[in-house]
Amino acid sequence: MTAYQVCGLPLLSPLIVGSGPITDNERNIRRFLRAGAGAVVTKTIHPKPPKDNDEKVIAIPSGWLNSTTYSQRPVSGWITILSRLAADNAPVMASIHADSPGELASLAAAIATTGCQALELGISCLNEAEKLMDTPKRVFDYALAVRRAVKLPFSVKLAISSTLRQRVDAAISAGANAITLSDTVLGLAVDPRTSQIRLGGAYGYSGPGIRPLVQAAIYELRKTGVSIPIFGSGGVMSSSDAIEYLCIGANAVQIYSVLQTKNHSVAQISTGITQLLAERQIPLSQLIGSSLYLEEQTC
């Protein structure tokens, strides 16, 4: 597959391993890249991660609920790891967050010294005690602080909701190079045998159940003129799922949840995308947004 660039990353595959506990160490990052991932996003780096979170991931019939937040590895440790990866020209995005726009700007500047190729702003974490919910102003303030601090390309990770378009516009106006859609959405599960709420409350929900919702959101963004690169994320379990995201205008696709139970899926899904392109005898560039193009042709 011919390399192409999205948000500063030279991708040999449109498949990217998203941020989470399984990308919290260098060994896994390198393993996913060897397996065929076009890039890997680190677990979210935070200068002052909370220490008292009970971080768990549980399976439910339609996906997963998780109470995870940030990497407990210190920033200095991540700078060492990212410097080694950059020395090997590894396509890695550093996911970052902090307690204020100013702190995030300082963190971004520190990460930029490593040679890391791109950032992802993981600024909306439903699993913090405050249940951080984005507003257009909050997105703008954090993104603008990072843009003023670094020239490094960055994506802003957002969650689907009724204010999505306003938050996308805020990120773009503040200088974001891409959007990652979607972060987890608020979900809850109950144990019917005991009536107890699993995980003790509402936390981040991911998995196949959110995929049609995220795809509809990306479709609407593209139909209404949003041209900024988009990393589609949510419920990808197979190469067909990834291809659906590409067809409706995602420039690359993040996977995560499936890797918690099927860690060989990177190679399988990446190979499946390559095989479909060969069967249709089209380059990746023609697949991206092809559903929108066909719709225009029939109108």
Side-chain angles (χ1 to χ4, degrees), residues 27-168:
R27 180 178 63 85
N28 277 357
I29 291 171
R30 291 186 182 275
R31 178 167 62 87
F32 288 131
L33 290 173
R34 288 194 301 270
V40 176
V41 187
T42 70
K43 187 171 185 186
T44 303
I45 304 164
H46 196 296
K48 294 180 291 187
K51 302 295 184 182
D52 55 353
N53 279 36
D54 184 17
E55 302 206 346
K56 294 180 180 178
V57 178
I58 61 170
I60 60 175
S62 57
W64 290 265
L65 289 171
N66 79 84
S67 58
T68 64
T69 53
Y70 309 112
S71 174
Q72 294 298 310
R73 193 182 304 277
V75 172
S76 59
W78 273 112
I79 286 177
T80 299
I81 291 172
L82 290 169
S83 295
R84 283 198 296 261
L85 291 165
D88 293 335
N89 204 32
V92 173
M93 296 182 79
S95 174
I96 60 172
H97 187 37
D99 292 336
S100 71
E103 287 180 322
L104 188 61
S106 296
L107 177 58
I111 297 298
T113 66
T114 67
C116 182
Q117 297 178 12
L119 305 173
E120 182 175 86
L121 309 191
I123 60 176
S124 176
C125 184
L126 294 176
N127 295 341
E128 282 201 57
E130 295 84 1
K131 299 291 185 194
L132 298 179
M133 298 296 287
D134 285 337
T135 63
K137 183 180 186 307
R138 186 173 182 276
V139 170
F140 180 84
D141 289 346
Y142 273 94
L144 183 62
V146 171
R147 176 46 66 228
R148 287 175 171 171
V150 299
K151 295 182 179 179
L152 209 59
F154 68 85
S155 179
V156 179
K157 191 170 187 178
L158 301 174
I160 53 173
S161 82
S162 60
T163 64
L164 176 61
R165 180 56 190 267
Q166 294 94 317
R167 288 178 288 123
V168 168

